[in-house]
Amino acid sequence: MADSTPDGVERRLPTEEARELLALTRDIARREIAPRAAEEEDAGHFPRDLFTLLSRSGLLGLPYDSEHGGGGQPYEVYLQVLEELAAARLTVGLGVSVHSLSCHALARYGTDEQRAAHLPAMLGGGLLGAYCLSEPSAGSDAAALRTRAVRDGDGGDWVIDGTKAWITHGGIADFCTVMARTGEEGPRGITAFLVPGDAPGLSAAPPERKMGMKGSPTAQLHFDGVRVPDARRLGAEGQGFAIALDALDSGRLGIAACAVGLGQAALDVALAYAVERRQFGRPIADFQGIRFLLADMATRIEAGRALYLEAARLRDEGRPFGRLAAMAKLFCSDAAMRITTDAVQVLGGYGYTADFPVERYLREAKMLQIVEGTNQIQRVVISRSLLKGGR
Ligand SMILES: Cc1cc2nc3c(=O)[nH]c(=O)nc-3n(C[C@H](O)[C@H](O)[C@H](O)COP(=O)(O)OP(=O)(O)OC[C@H]3O[C@@H](n4cnc5c(N)ncnc54)[C@H](O)[C@@H]3O)c2cc1C
């Protein structure tokens, strides 16, 4: 069965429950999220209440097991929900995606006791997560991270010291999934920890002053002797980098879905404007130069959507999907950049002003080409996978 978007695009929604979830998402997006987006992004206001609403509505833990408070939905359904949220406001769609990324290590690598203790609150209890991998000197080369976790005697506690950079929800997150060095240099000396947001010794720098996504705080986090019991270590010692990369495979699909949502929002504005705006005695939509821009935008959106859904299908079937996820992140974020740029062009001078949302969309799209691995790094991942064979 397929649902359809307002512009008639067929969607993959396998069950009645999934169709209801998408309808609920659209309703929340239209009534609660979109109307506040422009003003709050301008003011740099993070809409914490919307995340509480999404949590209460069961939309914050969709792809995780219902046993621990998740929605038990296939990834392809979760991603279509993300697309709708991002179309209404990228800060919200991306925030849900980052939250989900932050839950991944515990959900997949935690023990039964750890899952039972923490996951229900993280998935449906109104908590918000942060994923802490990048550092000031370790971005694309994340395995060079220097934040250290050292055992304190035989007591079982770890003590974490160091600085994480560019952390989405930095300073407002209730919990942080933190990758820290516990052993040798390189990827094998890294371990993952679940750190409470209010742990003594953990502090945040003022949020970065970004070109877009001002409502989504991005900040450095300083760890100054942060004590974490061994019961909050996720996975084995030395497994942290593999866990971080595994989470990113799934997270990149979230970025792809958000990029498609942003592109769709830009196309919707451009289409409506092209029909209304008249020059040379007729709507600019009559001019082939404008029509071709619209056609290319729609084509990129459909191609991107098909690509992320195909990667999600592989993931839902338990098959390798990392290469396709990197391709989806690369293609969809590049598409969003191109689509939002062309949307500004369709609106001419008005597109360059804050009277229409497309200039904001353009600034937001740029971020999607950088986060969770720049698009150069996606090409590194894709080409490495091609040369190794398999998927
Ligand atoms: C708004 C925002 C939110 C973010 N949120 C988070 C978060 O929540 N958690 C988190 O851990 N991180 C987060 N990040 C960090 C993000 O993942 C990094 O910015 C990204 O991985 C790039 O690292 P860098 O900025 O240090 O750039 P660098 O690694 O210094 O790269 C600089 C340039 O060199 C290129 N380059 C580097 N290596 C290669 C190579 N081998 N081949 C070709 N080109 C290369 C890059 O593509 C880039 O163009 C966020 C970043 C931003 C901007």
Side-chain angles (χ1 to χ4, degrees):
M1 281 293 283
D3 188 14
S4 66
T5 54
D7 59 333
V9 172
E10 293 296 305
R11 295 212 172 221
R12 267 194 233 161
L13 294 166
T15 60
E16 186 55 36
E17 193 188 0
R19 285 188 285 282
E20 283 169 10
L21 277 172
L22 202 76
L24 171 69
T25 308
R26 281 191 189 141
D27 190 46
I28 292 176
R30 185 175 49 80
R31 285 193 300 114
E32 308 284 347
I33 302 177
R36 295 163 46 180
E39 198 177 325
E40 290 189 353
E41 284 302 321
D42 207 28
H45 177 78
F46 179 73
R48 180 65 208 232
D49 61 314
L50 291 178
F51 286 85
T52 307
L53 173 67
L54 293 173
S55 182
R56 286 209 189 110
S57 309
L59 297 175
L60 212 50
L62 274 184
Y64 291 103
D65 283 351
S66 42
E67 186 193 344
H68 291 118
Q73 290 298 312
Y75 221 66
E76 67 174 2
V77 173
Y78 159 66
L79 292 179
Q80 290 173 83
V81 165
L82 266 192
E83 188 190 317
E84 292 292 336
L85 295 174
R89 184 171 174 186
L90 188 60
T91 282
V92 175
L94 185 99
V96 172
S97 182
V98 168
H99 175 80
S100 192
L101 181 70
S102 316
C103 297
H104 186 93
L106 173 61
R108 183 162 288 185
Y109 298 92
T111 62
D112 287 346
E113 292 76 25
Q114 287 175 322
R115 279 199 285 263
H118 304 295
L119 258 189
M122 286 159 61
L123 296 179
L127 299 189
L128 191 65
Y131 172 87
C132 307
L133 178 64
S134 305
E135 298 187 359
S137 306
S140 300
D141 185 12
L145 65 84
R146 291 191 202 152
T147 295
R148 278 213 160 267
V150 178
R151 270 196 199 270
D152 185 30
D154 324 317
D157 277 8
W158 294 85
V159 180
I160 305 182
D161 285 285
T163 297
K164 291 291 172 183
W166 305 112
I167 303 307
T168 301
H169 305 155
I172 59 165
D174 301 296
F175 64 90
C176 303
T177 297
V178 179
M179 270 50 76
R181 186 161 303 287
T182 54
E184 64 191 74
E185 291 299 300
R188 293 205 178 81
I190 295 169
T191 302
F193 297 91
L194 183 64
V195 180
D198 61 356
L202 175 56
S203 61
E208 304 291 348
R209 294 164 59 223
K210 308 194 297 288
M211 67 187 278
M213 298 291 289
K214 294 177 190 184
S216 169
T218 310
Q220 284 197 353
L221 287 184
H222 302 300
F223 293 75
D224 185 10
V226 175
R227 295 188 82 85
V228 180
D230 192 51
R232 282 178 169 268
R233 173 175 47 81
L234 303 174
E237 279 180 54
Q239 198 186 2
F241 195 66
I243 291 175
L245 294 190
D246 184 42
L248 283 176
D249 277 347
S250 297
R252 283 168 184 159
L253 285 179
I255 301 294
C258 286
V260 170
L262 188 66
Q264 181 73 58
L267 172 59
D268 291 347
V269 174
L271 262 178
Y273 188 87
V275 173
E276 283 293 315
R277 174 71 174 171
R278 297 178 73 84
Q279 288 293 283
F280 300 97
R282 44 187 166 141
I284 59 168
D286 279 2
F287 303 125
Q288 198 177 54
I290 294 290
R291 287 184 176 213
F292 281 11
L293 285 178
L294 297 171
D296 285 350
M297 289 158 121
T299 304
R300 289 191 173 95
I301 289 167
E302 284 310 317
R305 191 175 278 140
L307 189 51
Y308 87 62
L309 282 172
E310 176 61 7
R313 185 181 66 79
L314 292 180
R315 188 187 188 280
D316 287 331
E317 290 173 358
R319 294 163 63 192
F321 67 96
R323 185 199 300 172
L324 228 51
M327 288 176 174
K329 194 274 180 183
L330 167 65
F331 181 87
C332 296
S333 59
D334 279 357
M337 195 69 239
R338 180 68 192 269
I339 292 164
T340 54
T341 304
D342 287 349
V344 170
Q345 197 67 21
V346 169
L347 270 71
Y350 295 100
Y352 199 64
T353 72
D355 292 347
F356 288 88
V358 286
E359 62 83 30
R360 171 163 59 86
Y361 296 160
L362 187 155
R363 289 184 285 105
E364 293 177 343
K366 187 65 209 167
M367 178 217 187
L368 300 171
Q369 294 182 307
I370 297 170
V371 291
E372 298 197 20
T374 64
N375 282 2
Q376 284 80 11
I377 294 303
Q378 303 309 320
R379 290 181 170 91
V380 171
V381 171
I382 294 162
S383 55
R384 189 184 290 149
S385 151
L386 285 172
L387 293 165
K388 269 206 310 208
R391 288 190 101 168

